[in-house]
Amino acid sequence: MPRRLVLGILLLAALAAPRPAAGAPCELQGSPHRARIRVPVPGHAPLELELTGAPLVARFAAGPRAQVETLGALRIAGTALELPLALAQPVDAAGGAVHLSTEVEVVQARPHRSGLRLVVELAPRTTIGAVLSPVVVACDAVKLRTEAGPTGHTAAPANYPSWLARGRSLALRQRADGPPRMQLRASEPRSLHLDEVTRRGSRIRVRAAWDDGSAVEGWADRAALVPAPRHGIGYGAWAAIGQDVCGRTSSHVRKAMLNAGAKLHAAPGRGAWAEAREDVELDVEGTSIDGWVRVVSVPGVAEVDACGQLDHAWVARTDLTFPTP
């Protein structure tokens, strides 16, 4: 066979060969204490829902946010706005430069390009509001948090010599001569307290440790640091955040069962956004409008800023079963 023909066959075979499959998504399952998702609604504005203790799966596959699907009796699918995450086990990352305890808060997570890993932002339990990013962890090292995280921790005592980050953020390098790989951020300027480990020219290797057991170590530019005062730094206590007072009530509400296979709509007859996998107990208004009944509440599901209820939930009267009086 002529050599040119052989090369042509090889080239065609290469073009016809299937492309490598994309990395499997990182999937987390659980019943988080609270999550917020945005649900697309055909012909209607998206709904923002708050899920409380609802079993769900979060898939980190593409884009900056996880795709969420509930696993209970009512199927709802959307994009995560707030997803409470935690470390399932202590993690050593960045070649040992970062140690993370299970008490650290996972602020945000997005998929890593290699598949079953996540790029996370983390907040150690400290009153200064420090955030460390980006840190790459294995998918199985992260879980959905079923309870609210603890609060009220104080910063670990400082050693000397020690430094403060000059501003609200500090770039850290894994090697003195390497590029910045991580960033520490804080809510207030000069509130990041760091202990000196060693020096090399204009770079100082610093270490931050918190009382939850987490720590990070890396090289910082001397120009990005200022000496910490010997008298210490004052750390304020966590302040309680005011909660909205909700006095909303609904009259003429009654219990009903939404039949399996039926859908919730944003408005009568249009904008389906949820489907019942099995019979679901609901609170509905006692009257119907043109054969449609407004749903007041569903256990574990509420619209954001709707006082624990639903503003855009309608079902066909024929899809409901009412208990016998």
Side-chain angles (χ1 to χ4, degrees), residues 90-127:
V91 171
D92 290 307
V98 178
H99 173 72
L100 306 168
S101 80
T102 55
E103 290 294 304
V104 73
E105 179 184 358
V106 180
V107 179
Q108 286 187 344
R110 58 181 171 84
H112 189 267
R113 62 180 180 275
S114 64
L116 293 177
R117 292 197 290 173
L118 294 175
V119 182
V120 295
E121 286 190 357
L122 303 140
R125 298 294 174 185
T126 171
T127 57

Side-chain angles (χ1 to χ4, degrees), residues 280-299:
V280 182
E281 185 177 69
L282 309 170
D283 288 329
V284 300
E285 290 188 344
T287 57
S288 62
I289 300 175
D290 296 329
W292 289 86
V293 178
R294 192 177 82 86
V295 177
V296 176
S297 65
V298 177

